[in-house]
Amino acid sequence: MAQKFHYSDDGSRYHTLKYHNMHTWGKPVYKAVVDAGFTCPNIDGSCGYGGCIYCSGGSGCFTSPGLSVKQQIIREAARIREKHPGAGVIAYFQAHTNTYGSMERLREVYGQALECDICGISAATRADCIDGERAGFLASLPVPVTVELGLQTAHDSTAEFINRGHSTERFLEGFNTAKKAGLRVCVHIINGLPGETPEMMLQTAEFLGKLRPDGIKIHSLHVIENTALAQMWRSGEYTPIDMQTYIDTTVKQLELLPPETVIERLTGDGEKNSLLAPTWSLDKRSVLGGIMKRQKQLDSIQGMCFREG
């Protein structure tokens, strides 16, 4: 008999973001992507220059940085609701590090978001840029707030190689600070980082699962034009993970994660004009379909191998 996953009402074998949104807000919810004009300590020299080796200037390729935060959200919300009337909107501060600024600046940009018709805020940031004051401020806002922290890997040797700019121990400090403040925390990990084996990727998932994050985003490493990683790829120093290995590894990672953790992403978006490899990542439907198919073949569900820390 096939295993039934508790956090599902459509046959999914993992805790989908769609399920979470419907059971939290009672309606579909989509993100309005925002570029608030922040930078990153790993770019401006505070802890490093150039960012991580795969960084092409920060996420946010879907934003309109020439507009104010409020204007961006209004524009994005109109686009969302034209396609999905009645949908909820989360203001998603995506580009760069969105707690890396003065408190005055944070109050200004997040205050603009609160002037819009939103049901929540999501702020992408770094674990070394979330302290008690900033976490407390975000937690005090009158809408639910998620902070997204990039762990990427639990292996410090890899983190140093990719120029992440902080250790796993520092990640834990930021994670615990956010959780203590009462914030919802979503953590990013990347499969296919240079030198990592599938076993190492599973160790990252196991490490993260024991922290019981509220959400997780998983995707393959993207080789983007005009990055240090692109140079490594062209020289043959780096070979991207293949699609089947990614699928098999991700299915096993899901088994190691607590069932209540929301899987907010299992594949990533890359700009077609700048993505060099792996090109299979552009076919999101095939990747997600491959994960679902493999789960069924193995009768695998999220959390089936989860063990308390």
Side-chain angles (χ1 to χ4, degrees):
M1 181 181 294
Q3 298 193 66
K4 179 175 174 57
F5 184 61
H6 177 70
Y7 296 92
S8 174
D9 48 23
D10 64 358
S12 295
R13 290 171 172 262
Y14 61 91
H15 195 155
T16 66
L17 185 58
K18 177 182 177 181
Y19 178 93
H20 169 76
N21 287 341
M22 289 300 297
H23 285 260
T24 301
W25 285 286
K27 60 183 177 182
V29 176
Y30 299 90
K31 288 182 175 178
V33 180
V34 178
D35 183 343
F38 292 107
T39 184
C40 172
N42 203 17
I43 291 177
D44 70 6
S46 294
C47 74
Y49 292 98
C52 300
I53 63 171
Y54 47 78
C55 178
S56 60
S59 299
C61 57
F62 307 110
T63 61
S64 302
L67 303 177
S68 70
V69 166
K70 183 175 181 179
Q71 289 171 329
Q72 290 179 62
I73 295 172
I74 291 173
R75 181 174 176 176
E76 276 282 276
R79 177 188 62 80
I80 290 167
R81 288 175 175 140
E82 181 178 4
K83 187 174 182 179
H84 307 282
V89 172
I90 289 175
Y92 182 23
F93 289 77
Q94 182 192 34
H96 294 299
T97 305
N98 291 280
T99 57
Y100 186 53
S102 68
M103 289 304 303
E104 180 181 7
R105 176 63 175 154
L106 297 186
R107 292 187 185 96
E108 176 191 349
V109 298
Y110 289 104
Q112 287 188 45
L114 294 174
E115 295 175 8
C116 303
D117 181 15
I118 60 173
C119 62
I121 288 173
S122 186
T125 188
R126 287 169 56 93
D128 56 352
C129 293
I130 186 83
D131 57 17
E133 184 178 21
R134 283 160 177 75
F137 163 70
L138 291 175
S140 74
L141 299 180
V143 295
V145 177
T146 296
V147 291
E148 299 192 6
L149 302 178
L151 171 63
Q152 320 310 3
T153 175
H155 302 280
D156 280 340
S157 58
T158 306
E160 184 176 356
F161 185 84
I162 65 175
N163 196 37
R164 187 174 67 188
H166 64 71
S167 65
T168 301
E169 182 179 359
R170 185 64 184 87
F171 165 82
L172 285 172
E173 292 177 12
F175 178 91
N176 290 330
T177 296
K179 291 296 292 181
K180 184 177 180 180
L183 292 167
R184 183 177 181 274
V185 181
C186 176
V187 180
H188 295 217
I189 61 175
I190 298 177
N191 288 338
L193 290 168
E196 291 214 341
T197 64
E199 180 60 27
M200 293 173 72
M201 299 173 214
L202 295 182
Q203 289 167 356
T204 291
E206 185 174 25
F207 166 84
L208 186 53
K210 291 178 179 178
L211 298 179
R212 291 185 174 272
D214 300 284
I216 290 180
K217 289 185 174 181
I218 305 173
H219 67 83
S220 61
L221 180 59
H222 294 154
V223 182
I224 305 297
E225 189 66 90
N226 299 319
T227 63
L229 184 64
Q231 298 176 13
M232 293 173 57
W233 174 74
R234 285 197 168 96
S235 69
E237 188 179 353
Y238 172 70
T239 300
I241 190 170
D242 65 85
M243 182 173 171
Q244 193 57 54
T245 301
Y246 178 81
I247 288 171
D248 291 343
T249 302
T250 302
V251 167
K252 292 178 181 178
Q253 287 175 319
L254 291 172
E255 295 177 354
L256 295 168
L257 300 174
E260 68 272 16
T261 294
V262 181
I263 309 303
E264 300 199 12
R265 184 174 67 190
L266 284 179
T267 184
D269 292 306
E271 272 194 293
K272 292 182 179 180
N273 294 335
S274 59
L275 179 71
L276 299 176
T279 54
W280 58 258
S281 66
L282 293 171
D283 189 354
K284 295 176 65 174
R285 181 173 296 182
S286 292
V287 177
L288 294 174
I291 290 170
M292 293 174 61
K293 180 180 178 181
R294 189 62 177 149
Q295 284 187 306
K296 290 180 180 178
Q297 289 173 340
L298 299 174
D299 195 17
S300 170
I301 60 172
Q302 180 182 338
M304 64 184 291
C305 296
F306 172 69
R307 297 292 181 268
E308 295 281 357

